[in-house]
Amino acid sequence: MELLEKDEEYISSLLKQGKKVEAIAFVKDKTGMSLIEAKDYIEKLILEKNIHLLDKRSQEIEKIELSDKFEIKSLRINSWGLFLYIIFFIILIFILFSLISILLKELTYKHIFYSIIFIGAIIFNYYNFLKELKSRKYLLTVSGKTIKIYYENNEKEAITTDNISQVRFYVIDSGRGIGKKNPTLQIFENKEKMLVEMTISANDYYLLKKYFEKYKVRIDNQYKEF
């Protein structure tokens, strides 16, 4: 049995949500394919989508022109994303308090271990939440070799590319779907002090990459869009 157009649209929606297993099961049930055949079909589809997105991105990159003056704003995740951080944090605290109440009644190594795990998860989640809030407040203005760093709209630092030891790009996942990855920028001065850390858009990443390459600033590039 062949897949209809609406079936293919549904499969695409599953893959965008990162639900690869569900997509394989759907293809298997709809077409009567074996599990291996359905998996190969989905893998091929993902490859084709990635190639299409890569071609589209390449065309967008070619259109990006490096001007002498430009501005880079921090990429903000939507309010729903921040809300999920808070909900997850509350759930973790609730579970931790439940474990503590059990520990007060019965002290076991298993509950101590679980409590330590949840304390670590709470600290990690809280750290990422504060990091995201801080990142949202940064802004860069670039003029020639001079980069001005603003925090909460107030100028924090001005530095020339000659005084930058390196810049680093790395990845923060914003979702499990195809192509949903945000680059994060770090700028270090010659004293190895980190001046700024902010999540930026993919287009701003390519613009900054061209800029830093032009002025021969050392780039530690860990960002891979696909």
Side-chain angles (χ1 to χ4, degrees):
M1 180 179 176
E2 293 185 0
L3 292 168
L4 302 175
E5 186 178 344
K6 64 177 182 179
D7 295 329
E8 292 177 349
E9 289 175 358
Y10 178 65
I11 292 167
S12 295
S13 70
L14 287 175
L15 293 177
K16 285 178 181 178
Q17 298 172 60
K19 297 179 179 179
K20 180 180 172 183
V21 175
E22 289 88 338
I24 293 172
F26 179 79
V27 170
K28 182 177 178 295
D29 293 340
K30 270 283 182 179
T31 62
M33 291 182 184
S34 67
L35 182 62
I36 293 175
E37 288 173 335
K39 183 175 180 294
D40 289 343
Y41 177 86
I42 292 298
E43 293 287 356
K44 183 181 177 182
L45 190 61
I46 291 173
L47 181 61
E48 288 173 354
K49 284 184 177 294
N50 278 340
I51 290 172
H52 172 72
L53 288 172
L54 192 57
D55 288 341
K56 184 180 177 182
R57 174 59 68 191
S58 297
Q59 292 171 11
E60 290 174 354
I61 293 167
E62 288 176 4
K63 294 178 183 177
I64 296 174
E65 294 183 3
L66 182 61
S67 59
D68 191 53
K69 294 182 180 181
F70 57 93
E71 183 178 273
I72 302 292
K73 293 182 179 179
S74 180
L75 181 66
R76 300 185 176 192
I77 64 172
N78 56 36
S79 300
W80 175 246
L82 291 177
F83 178 71
L84 288 179
Y85 263 119
I86 295 170
I87 292 297
F88 185 57
F89 186 69
I90 291 171
I91 292 171
L92 288 175
I93 290 177
F94 177 77
I95 295 173
L96 179 62
F97 274 113
S98 300
L99 285 170
I100 290 173
S101 65
I102 294 172
L103 276 173
L104 293 174
K105 297 175 183 176
E106 182 185 1
L107 191 64
T108 64
Y109 287 115
K110 182 176 74 172
H111 291 120
I112 291 173
F113 174 74
Y114 287 148
S115 297
I116 292 171
I117 292 295
F118 276 100
I119 289 171
I122 288 170
I123 292 172
F124 180 74
N125 186 68
Y126 184 64
Y127 168 77
N128 280 334
F129 179 69
L130 292 180
K131 188 176 177 182
E132 172 60 31
L133 287 180
K134 185 177 181 181
S135 173
R136 291 159 66 96
K137 299 175 183 178
Y138 279 109
L139 168 74
L140 302 179
T141 61
V142 180
S143 178
K145 297 180 73 174
T146 301
I147 299 173
K148 290 186 178 181
I149 302 168
Y150 291 84
Y151 184 74
E152 294 184 323
N153 295 321
N154 295 316
E155 186 177 327
K156 181 181 177 185
E157 195 126 15
I159 190 169
T160 66
T161 53
D162 295 333
N163 293 321
I164 297 176
S165 62
Q166 73 164 342
V167 295
R168 179 181 296 140
F169 297 102
Y170 67 93
V171 175
I172 291 179
D173 279 331
S174 63
R176 297 178 299 166
I178 299 170
K180 291 185 178 179
K181 295 183 178 180
N182 298 326
T184 295
L185 164 72
Q186 293 176 328
I187 298 178
F188 297 85
E189 68 173 355
N190 285 331
K191 297 175 183 177
E192 298 303 322
K193 171 188 172 186
M194 187 172 69
L195 300 175
V196 64
E197 181 177 32
M198 57 189 286
T199 303
I200 58 178
S201 70
N203 279 357
D204 284 344
Y205 155 75
Y206 290 112
L207 180 62
L208 282 174
K209 188 169 176 285
K210 282 186 175 183
Y211 171 77
F212 289 123
E213 286 173 345
K214 175 183 177 180
Y215 291 110
K216 296 180 173 53
V217 175
R218 187 159 65 93
I219 301 174
D220 175 11
N221 194 2
Q222 301 168 18
Y223 173 66
K224 303 293 178 187
E225 190 171 0
F226 299 102

